[in-house]
């Protein structure tokens, strides 16, 4: 959406944030279904599409939506699966917050310009 | 992120684990119930969970691919009852055996611990979503 007017970077950040949000939904779904028999773990991939698009110079708005895929075989319903998901969860939160921080820093010059250079 | 959709996934997981805990607690409470309304000893409860139907939670951004959990059924285990020789008991049969439910305290405790751990994991996911959404609200505020 509107962040495109200051370059392509915010668009890529937005895409990554959307991908991480979807990944969180996948982790939450896996945790909620940890004890459901025959549940196939869901995962989200978007980093490859993002890297390819950045290399090729594609506009962020032309990127394909992050893909949700399911594991081929149902995993055993065991606590070990939940632990793996919790680790992924923490990593996801850190990445999301780091991206937000990066976006904030990126927008700081605009804020400076809007306030006429006054802090 | 659509916080309410993601929170719905985690809260559905918490509801299911809560039900699992309740079922084990009920089993433990009825360990010595030798006579029920249907006649015969108490039959232990088992909660079977599965992915929630797409109509139950709206996941517009994932098209229903990332479901929460729901209770598919609450089954009564049909294990043979434990027979204990107590000739003076009112529910004793002709040979003096009383049929008690086949409820093992250890199994039920393990089920309770599993349910509590799963509940905590769902709670952690909910808190993580909350942290992410709150941080997103701070964009542009602290510059």
């Amino acid at each position: 959406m509107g962040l495109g007017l200051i370059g392509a970077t915010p668009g890529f950040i937005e895409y990554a944030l959307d991908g991480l949000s979807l990944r969180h939904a996948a982790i939450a779904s896996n945790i909620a279904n940890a004890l459901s028999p025959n549940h196939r773990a869901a995962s989200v991939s978007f980093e490859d599409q993002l890297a390819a698009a950045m290399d090729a110079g594609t506009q962020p708005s032309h990127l394909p939506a992050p893909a949700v895929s399911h594991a081929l075989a149902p995993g055993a319903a065991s606590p070990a699966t939940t632990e793996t998901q919790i680790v992924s969860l923490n990593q996801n939160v850190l990445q999301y917050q780091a991206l937000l921080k990066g976006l904030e820093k990126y927008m700081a010059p605009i804020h400076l310009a809007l306030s006429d250079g006054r802090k | 992120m659509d916080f309410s959709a993601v929170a719905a996934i985690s809260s559905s997981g918490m509801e299911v684990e809560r039900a699992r805990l309740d079922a084990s607690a009920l089993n433990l409470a009825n360990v010595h119930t030798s006579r029920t309304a249907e006649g015969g000893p108490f039959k232990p409860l088992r909660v079977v969970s599965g992915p929630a139907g797409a109509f139950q939670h709206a996941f517009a951004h994932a098209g229903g691919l990332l479901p929460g959990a729901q209770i598919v059924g609450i089954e009564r285990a049909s294990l043979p009852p434990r027979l204990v020789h107590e000739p003076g008991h009112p529910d004793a049969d002709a040979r003096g055996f009383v049929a008690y439910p086949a409820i093992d305290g250890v199994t039920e405790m393990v089920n309770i611990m599993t349910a509590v751990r799963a509940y905590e994991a769902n709670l952690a996911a909910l808190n993580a979503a909350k942290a992410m959404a709150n941080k997103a609200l701070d964009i542009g505020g602290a510059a």
Side-chain angles (χ1 to χ4, degrees):
Chain A
M1 219 235 356
L3 290 176
L5 57 88
I6 43 176
T9 306
F12 287 123
I13 294 180
E14 245 187 283
Y15 179 78
L17 284 171
D18 283 342
L20 290 175
S21 302
L22 198 61
R23 181 168 290 157
H24 178 86
I27 294 172
S29 174
N30 292 338
I31 290 176
N33 282 292
L35 296 175
S36 301
N38 297 323
H39 178 253
R40 298 184 303 150
S43 55
V44 169
S45 78
F46 69 91
E47 278 96 347
D48 293 335
Q49 290 98 302
L50 184 60
M54 285 170 73
D55 286 340
T58 320
Q59 284 301 305
S61 48
H62 297 142
L63 281 164
V68 178
S69 58
H70 289 88
L72 289 173
S78 72
T81 315
T82 307
E83 259 67 346
T84 314
Q85 294 295 315
I86 294 282
V87 169
S88 302
L89 184 74
N90 284 321
Q91 187 178 336
N92 206 42
V93 171
L94 278 172
Q95 281 180 308
Y96 192 88
Q97 294 183 335
L99 265 180
L100 287 178
K101 203 73 177 170
L103 186 64
E104 216 173 297
K105 297 288 184 214
Y106 188 87
M107 308 272 269
I110 298 180
H111 190 270
L112 202 59
L114 284 172
S115 57
D116 295 328
R118 286 192 294 272
K119 284 273 173 165
Chain B
M1 76 179 348
D2 186 0
F3 178 68
S4 61
V6 175
I9 302 176
S10 293
S11 69
S12 70
M14 290 198 277
E15 277 177 36
V16 168
E17 299 314 323
R18 194 64 220 273
R20 210 183 299 276
L21 180 69
D22 287 344
S24 285
L26 196 64
N27 289 341
L28 282 176
N30 284 293
V31 132
H32 290 129
T33 303
S34 51
R35 184 195 323 180
T36 58
E38 299 92 27
F42 178 82
K43 289 202 174 65
L45 295 168
R46 288 276 171 271
V47 169
V48 178
S49 63
F55 60 87
Q56 286 181 305
H57 303 286
F59 303 130
H61 60 291
L65 288 170
L66 300 173
Q70 67 166 349
I71 300 170
V72 167
I74 301 186
E75 297 170 353
R76 313 209 69 127
S78 53
L79 297 161
R82 247 181 341 125
L83 295 173
V84 178
H85 186 66
E86 280 180 54
H89 197 279
D91 294 328
D93 61 9
R95 295 176 303 145
F97 281 98
V98 181
Y100 284 115
I103 295 173
D104 176 27
V106 174
T107 309
E108 297 303 329
M109 284 310 297
V110 167
N111 287 340
I112 287 175
M113 279 162 44
T114 309
V116 169
R117 293 274 296 139
Y119 185 94
E120 286 171 356
N122 277 296
L123 194 52
L126 184 65
N127 286 331
K130 211 167 52 167
M132 286 159 80
N134 273 332
K135 211 73 172 106
L137 287 174
D138 288 338
I139 297 178

